[in-house]
Amino acid sequence: MKSTSKPDRHRFILSSLFFIFFLCALATINGIRFDGLLSFGRCALSNIPSQSSTPSSNNFLAVNSSTSSDDIRILIGVLTLPDQYQRRHFLRLIYGTQSPVGAQIDVKFVFCNLTKEDQKVLVALEIMRYDDIIILDCKENMNKGKTYTYFSSLPEMLNDTDRPYPPYHYVMKTDDDTYFRLDNLVESLKPLPREDLYYGYVIPCPSMDPFVHYMSGMGYMISWDIVEWIRDSEVPKNHLEGPEDKVFGDWIREGHRAKNRYNAKWSMYNFPEPHTQCTHELWPNTTAVHLLKNQEKWIQTLKYFNVTSNLKPSKLYHIP
């Protein structure tokens, strides 16, 4: 058998060493790439919220998905009744399909303690699904302190240290028969002060002076410092009963609050029919329409403002 020559052995050894070196280099490069992919994957996964996390108060019906630190923070409290399930679902559609720019707006439905067994199940399911309900520690009422309980309870409810301060620049009380156009609401608030503010539709209806009487219960808004004042002051505690919007105006007057006031008339008004001194025709500069007491009035209002204009075409449906 012919033996291998020394030059051939040298070439074999050099080739083997070169091949081993090549494999090491390739493994090093791939290791770097793999580590980079792992790091990228960990970074991406860290931004995905956990599916098992406990719902927080930030899961309100939020009507805009992207916010910045400069955005106006607004809480809209819709005072309603526990049994008004269909109205709440309807209003979730109304506000959930609006995307105002420059604001973080949370819509919450507010009522007093539950009193029926079916409420304890159905409202609990709503909370589990939507997390947009506040249940106050009170007996259901309209003009015997419910509004006071709402405002005075908020500082304790929203004192989470993870929140910015104030948790909201403005807090609204409104009714479940009022339709707010959130873009117009936000635009009207942008130039206004964020302290000692009282905003709404001035009563009596012919008046345009926000310093004479009070704002209509269709929807009025105050700055956060007044919310805290309501919690701490003896003035509201000693005067709870009576028409809630008028009583609220009495608190503001007796407490010498709200040096900044904004009359939103006639961007806010009652539905045109039946005609009264508080009504106005539907028009583009509208912020809120009140007294939408039936579906016909809601549909007429929503059609006027063309709220379905952004409906995307699809083969799955045909809506002429």
Side-chain angles (χ1 to χ4, degrees):
M1 184 173 180
K2 193 175 181 178
S3 62
T4 305
S5 64
K6 287 186 177 180
D8 289 339
R9 285 199 302 271
H10 290 160
R11 281 195 295 271
F12 176 76
I13 293 171
L14 288 174
S15 299
S16 299
L17 290 174
F18 178 78
F19 183 67
I20 293 170
F21 175 77
F22 173 76
L23 289 177
C24 291
L26 183 63
T28 302
I29 293 171
N30 285 338
I32 293 172
R33 290 177 177 173
F34 184 69
D35 287 343
L37 286 172
L38 283 177
S39 298
F40 177 79
R42 283 192 293 266
C43 178
L45 289 172
S46 67
N47 291 323
I48 299 176
S50 170
Q51 295 297 317
S52 62
S53 60
T54 302
S56 70
S57 54
N58 289 332
N59 291 330
F60 297 172
L61 173 55
V63 297
N64 52 342
S65 57
S66 59
T67 61
S68 77
S69 58
D70 295 329
D71 287 347
I72 303 171
R73 297 188 295 275
I74 305 169
L75 173 62
I76 297 179
V78 181
L79 270 62
T80 183
L81 300 172
D83 288 333
Q84 293 282 7
Y85 303 105
Q86 291 190 2
R87 177 56 60 89
R88 288 195 290 277
H89 292 320
F90 177 70
L91 290 175
R92 288 183 181 113
L93 293 176
I94 296 301
Y95 292 120
T97 52
Q98 298 188 55
S99 301
V101 177
Q104 173 196 332
I105 303 180
D106 294 328
V107 179
K108 297 283 278 185
F109 300 100
V110 184
F111 41 81
C112 292
N113 289 321
L114 307 181
T115 57
K116 303 176 185 177
E117 289 304 312
D118 63 329
Q119 292 174 352
K120 295 174 184 178
V121 174
L122 296 175
V123 172
L125 286 171
E126 283 186 88
I127 294 171
M128 292 167 64
R129 175 61 182 87
Y130 301 107
D131 195 21
D132 61 357
I133 287 175
I134 294 176
I135 301 179
L136 304 173
D137 187 13
C138 57
K139 183 177 180 181
E140 197 58 62
N141 69 90
M142 179 182 293
N143 295 316
K144 293 187 177 181
K146 182 176 179 179
T147 298
Y148 169 76
T149 305
Y150 164 55
F151 283 113
S152 64
S153 300
L154 290 177
E156 179 63 26
M157 290 180 176
L158 303 175
N159 67 353
D160 191 335
T161 55
D162 292 336
R163 289 177 170 274
Y165 182 85
Y168 295 98
H169 299 112
Y170 307 111
V171 176
M172 175 182 289
K173 174 268 163 187
T174 187
D175 295 335
D176 62 9
D177 63 347
T178 302
Y179 167 55
F180 271 92
R181 302 179 69 216
L182 300 181
D183 271 322
N184 286 13
L185 175 66
V186 171
E187 287 302 313
S188 70
L189 287 170
K190 284 180 178 178
L192 300 183
R194 295 186 179 182
E195 293 184 352
D196 211 19
L197 179 73
Y198 184 27
Y199 173 113
Y201 175 102
V202 174
I203 295 294
C205 296
S207 174
M208 297 298 288
D209 185 351
F211 288 90
V212 174
H213 293 286
Y214 59 94
M215 306 296 185
S216 165
M218 72 169 73
Y220 53 85
M221 181 181 299
I222 55 175
S223 52
W224 183 255
D225 57 306
I226 297 182
V227 174
E228 293 183 321
W229 173 79
I230 292 172
R231 174 197 61 186
D232 298 333
S233 173
E234 294 299 317
V235 172
K237 295 175 186 176
N238 295 328
H239 182 14
L240 296 179
E241 296 193 11
E244 63 88 16
D245 47 2
K246 182 178 183 301
V247 168
F248 192 94
D250 292 342
W251 300 344
I252 295 296
R253 184 180 64 257
E254 294 169 22
H256 306 288
R257 305 297 298 185
K259 67 177 182 293
N260 302 306
R261 304 190 187 187
Y262 183 82
N263 176 21
K265 196 181 292 181
W266 289 96
S267 65
M268 295 175 66
Y269 50 86
N270 286 348
F271 187 80
E273 301 168 2
H275 177 75
T276 69
Q277 287 185 312
C278 297
T279 61
H280 192 282
E281 293 301 312
L282 299 174
W283 68 311
N285 292 335
T286 296
T287 295
V289 184
H290 183 224
L291 292 183
L292 301 177
K293 295 293 187 183
N294 56 49
Q295 182 164 305
E296 181 182 354
K297 291 182 178 181
W298 272 104
I299 296 304
Q300 184 177 337
T301 301
L302 297 175
K303 286 180 67 175
Y304 176 85
F305 294 112
N306 198 18
V307 299
T308 60
S309 61
N310 292 327
L311 179 68
K312 296 180 181 179
S314 172
K315 296 178 181 180
L316 300 178
Y317 47 77
H318 173 67
I319 302 178

